[in-house]
Amino acid sequence: MCGIVGLMAKQAVNQGIYDALTVLQHRGQDAAGMMTWDDGRFLLRKSNGLVRDVFHTRHMARLKGNLGIGHVRYPTAGSSSEAESQPFYVNSPYGITLAHNGNLTNSDQLKQELFSSDLRHINTSSDSEVLLNVFAHELGKQGLHLAPGDIFDAVRRVHRRCRGGYAAVAIINGVGLVAFRDPHGIRPVVFGTRDEGEGQEVMIASESVALDVGGFELHRDLAPGEAIFVDMTGAIHTQQCADTPRLASCIFEHVYLARPDSILDGAYVYGTRMQMGRKLGDRIQNEWPEQDIDVVIPIPDTSRTSALELAQHLGVTYREGFMKNRYIGRTFIMPGQTQRKKSVRQKLNAIGVEFKDKNVLLVDDSIVRGTTCKQIIQMAREAGARKVYFASAAPPVRYPNVYGIDMPAANELIAHGRSEAEVGELIGADRIFYQDLDDLKAACREVNPALEAFDCSVFDGQYVTGDIDDRYLADLEASRSDDAKQLSAGDHALVGMHNQEDDIDD
Ligand SMILES: O=P(O)(O)OC[C@H]1O[C@H](OP(=O)(O)OP(=O)(O)O)[C@H](O)[C@@H]1O
Ligand SMILES: NC(=O)CC[C@H](N)C(=O)O
Ligand SMILES: [Mg+2]
């Protein structure tokens, strides 16, 4: 996943976008970017790194204008080169910039079509540049003066051409701010408004926390397939643009990706995670009524919410047995396995007294590659634990993700082709407990009963867009597995739209 934000304000937007990106940082740590629009001119700053490292005072000063979009990136396609960081820009028609969260599953075919039929060249291997060009091409059919209906017609045609997960924000030069969400609503987008006396200001973002930090009132999520257009006066226009929209949002947002203080599709993530803890507690109780757990210990950060609820539900003491180094980011979204492995020990350290001679139940939100849990169990034993049990608030992750989470290879997933007990053995746990998939869905529905369907592909191998076959998955693995990425490392000399000319002192 990545984080996106769009802001139309009555004064300069650079700081507002920066602040929003810092609270969306958990969605992407590899690169950050911002494009503002100032009286007919786009201004760009994007680079690899965290938000605080990418935007220095001199960059902020140059990012002028009352309209802008921003992005934090966690790559799922192409390379991690600076040229593939976002936002992207295309000059025709009108001048458009776009930032995208998600992953197109037919980007190779679209790239071909763009070249041979639409006469457009894609200069990177990023699916987001493809999405921008499809949007640009469809918009170009509308003529010089765009009315809201023209923009919505173009989005309708984007939905007909593009497959996969996409939540996107864009600026059309001189026309306004646009955002759209794929017909399954796989990736999240919300919007809200603020009025500080000068008129309506609008923010569109991946998660509601971005709105909170800017003092915006959350209106709602974009519906699956819906588009929003904010014209230059700040007036909001929305329209459903998909032929057959059906909400099936990514359930892994609730498990791990989103911040707990966000509200996604009307469900407080904090609440869904609490319910996950309760359900998991029930499962442990049912499977093991005579359990001998002395203490429940979360693996910080994400599992805390469910672990606390699980402990209370089981009537067992909850303790923070691992301290987290606040200066290390999320390990799962780091680009390579070597870095991920090293970071677990840098990030987490055991407090001996909480483990010594105790039977501990360690709780994590999910087990994906098994990088974290293997090391953590070892650390618990080194700290003197008698028995180490492990519980995952999500079911076993057995299948690749194709919609914007970088889990491209089944054989990198520890539970792929293994039973729950086999995973337990492999990670060195005395006993393992996984959430049941129906319980996970129920946990989310208990917070918002309107959430009928989800994309649960990483758990059940069912891909809601219906276009994923073995060949697609084999190609994905061949191009994006950790081994493949290592082979292509260094292939970063791509030409993108250049940062501003006086950036050479970076
Ligand atoms: O099985 P693995 O491949 O190790 O992946 C799963 C782990 O990675 C994530 O933590 P992360 O450190 O990314 O973030 P957090 O601090 O939000 O928990 C997640 O919360 C699990 O702890
Ligand atoms: N995680 C994402 O949303 C990634 C967006 C896009 N596919 C990229 O790789 O830049
Ligand atoms: Mg974690």
Side-chain angles (χ1 to χ4, degrees):
M1 73 289 178
C2 297
I4 57 170
V5 60
L7 177 55
M8 165 90 75
K10 298 295 174 195
Q11 30 8 63
V13 290
N14 51 4
Q15 192 61 45
I17 292 177
Y18 180 98
D19 293 344
L21 290 179
T22 59
V23 294
L24 295 174
Q25 186 79 79
H26 61 285
R27 299 186 68 84
Q29 300 169 168
D30 277 46
M34 187 190 311
M35 185 91 83
T36 57
W37 182 86
D38 185 37
D39 202 16
R41 193 166 174 231
F42 284 112
L43 304 157
L44 171 70
R45 167 67 187 165
K46 63 177 182 178
S47 187
N48 289 121
L50 298 174
V51 174
R52 62 163 186 251
D53 301 322
V54 168
F55 303 102
H56 299 165
T57 312
R58 64 183 187 281
H59 306 123
M60 293 293 281
R62 292 176 206 140
L63 290 164
K64 295 197 172 74
N66 297 357
L67 172 60
I69 60 175
H71 190 262
V72 282
R73 182 170 189 231
Y74 160 62
T76 59
S79 74
S80 53
S81 96
E82 190 174 304
E84 299 201 9
S85 60
Q86 304 192 32
F88 277 101
Y89 166 78
V90 72
N91 69 350
S92 174
Y94 319 106
I96 308 169
T97 179
L98 177 139
H100 163 223
N101 169 212
N103 198 57
L104 298 186
T105 52
N106 63 340
S107 68
D108 288 348
Q109 182 204 328
L110 288 168
K111 198 168 173 174
Q112 278 296 327
E113 282 174 22
L114 281 166
F115 187 72
S116 54
S117 313
D118 303 347
L119 307 184
R120 284 175 173 269
H121 167 62
I122 303 300
N123 204 49
T124 68
S125 43
S126 164
D127 60 325
S128 310
E129 192 187 2
V130 169
L131 179 63
L132 167 59
N133 277 271
V134 172
F135 180 50
H137 184 76
E138 296 306 328
L139 211 49
K141 294 177 178 164
Q142 304 295 155
L144 185 59
H145 300 288
L146 289 175
D150 297 326
I151 294 165
F152 296 136
D153 285 349
V155 174
R156 185 173 294 278
R157 292 193 295 272
V158 168
H159 289 330
R160 287 183 186 150
R161 291 181 70 177
C162 295
R163 298 278 165 277
Y166 49 94
V169 282
I171 299 171
I172 308 171
N173 170 35
V175 178
L177 178 66
V178 182
F180 51 91
R181 190 176 182 195
D182 71 75
H184 291 93
I186 296 174
R187 303 260 72 92
V189 204
V190 295
F191 67 94
T193 56
R194 172 179 82 179
D195 191 335
E196 292 183 329
E198 293 175 69
Q200 178 166 274
E201 302 177 304
V202 185
M203 182 180 278
I204 301 165
S206 297
E207 293 184 33
S208 59
V209 282
L211 273 57
D212 296 342
V213 75
F216 286 80
E217 187 192 332
L218 172 67
H219 281 215
R220 60 180 175 85
D221 300 76
L222 271 194
E226 191 182 23
I228 177 171
F229 166 56
V230 188
D231 66 30
M232 297 306 282
T233 69
I236 294 177
H237 312 257
T238 57
Q239 192 168 301
Q240 176 53 256
C241 301
D243 299 329
T244 49
R246 176 175 177 259
L247 183 65
S249 54
C250 172
I251 206 160
F252 210 67
E253 291 278 351
H254 287 277
V255 169
Y256 165 74
L257 302 178
R259 264 177 53 149
D261 43 343
S262 280
I263 302 170
L264 298 183
D265 292 308
Y268 221 143
V269 177
Y270 180 72
T272 58
R273 288 192 188 151
M274 284 197 346
Q275 291 303 109
M276 287 175 213
R278 265 185 227 160
K279 301 264 179 216
L280 187 57
D282 283 340
R283 187 160 190 195
I284 294 173
Q285 195 89 67
N286 291 338
E287 279 183 20
W288 194 21
E290 69 290 1
Q291 53 88 2
D292 61 0
I293 304 162
D294 295 317
V295 60
V296 169
I297 294 179
I299 318 280
D301 265 328
T302 300
S303 70
R304 278 199 176 120
T305 316
S306 6
L308 176 57
E309 200 60 22
L310 182 154
Q312 281 186 348
H313 204 60
L314 279 183
V316 176
T317 310
Y318 169 90
R319 286 287 163 81
E320 297 271 351
F322 290 106
M323 274 306 117
K324 189 191 151 196
N325 176 348
R326 69 177 70 199
Y327 301 103
I328 302 280
R330 292 183 119 181
T331 48
F332 173 72
I333 62 171
M334 285 175 179
Q337 187 60 4
T338 319
Q339 198 183 347
R340 285 192 288 260
K341 247 175 155 165
K342 188 167 152 244
S343 297
V344 174
R345 284 217 178 228
Q346 282 180 340
K347 177 173 164 172
L348 298 167
N349 195 27
I351 297 176
V353 64
E354 293 300 352
F355 294 88
K356 186 119 189 64
D357 299 327
K358 289 184 186 164
N359 296 340
V360 299
L361 173 67
L362 307 183
V363 180
D364 210 344
D365 52 270
S366 57
I367 303 171
V368 183
R369 296 178 179 89
T371 323
T372 311
C373 55
K374 263 191 204 158
Q375 295 193 56
I376 286 289
I377 290 172
Q378 213 179 328
M379 282 159 74
R381 293 206 192 278
E382 285 163 12
R386 214 166 25 211
K387 295 270 182 183
V388 184
Y389 311 123
F390 204 92
S392 160
V397 173
R398 294 204 163 102
Y399 304 93
N401 186 282
V402 299
Y403 301 129
I405 312 173
D406 198 32
M407 296 181 195
N411 63 15
E412 288 171 7
L413 307 171
I414 195 167
H416 179 75
R418 291 198 176 93
S419 67
E420 296 186 5
E422 282 169 338
V423 175
E425 208 170 304
L426 199 62
I427 65 175
D430 290 301
R431 208 165 168 151
I432 190 165
F433 302 93
Y434 271 111
Q435 186 86 265
D436 180 77
L437 182 54
D438 285 335
D439 285 343
L440 173 60
K441 294 180 198 170
C444 298
R445 281 189 200 118
E446 273 161 27
V447 180
N448 181 5
L451 296 174
E452 281 173 23
F454 298 94
D455 158 48
C456 301
S457 50
V458 297
F459 304 121
D460 62 10
Q462 306 291 313
Y463 296 91
V464 291
T465 50
D467 59 336
I468 303 304
D469 55 19
D470 289 347
R471 190 161 154 212
Y472 179 89
L473 294 175
D475 287 350
L476 180 69
E477 175 163 345
S479 62
R480 290 205 58 83
S481 65
D482 279 336
D483 291 346
K485 270 184 254 170
Q486 248 174 359
L487 281 177
S488 66
D491 179 21
H492 289 174
L494 294 162
V495 182
M497 181 192 171
H498 214 280
N499 282 327
Q500 287 186 71
E501 63 277 5
D502 46 356
D503 262 357
I504 38 179
D505 54 341
D506 287 344

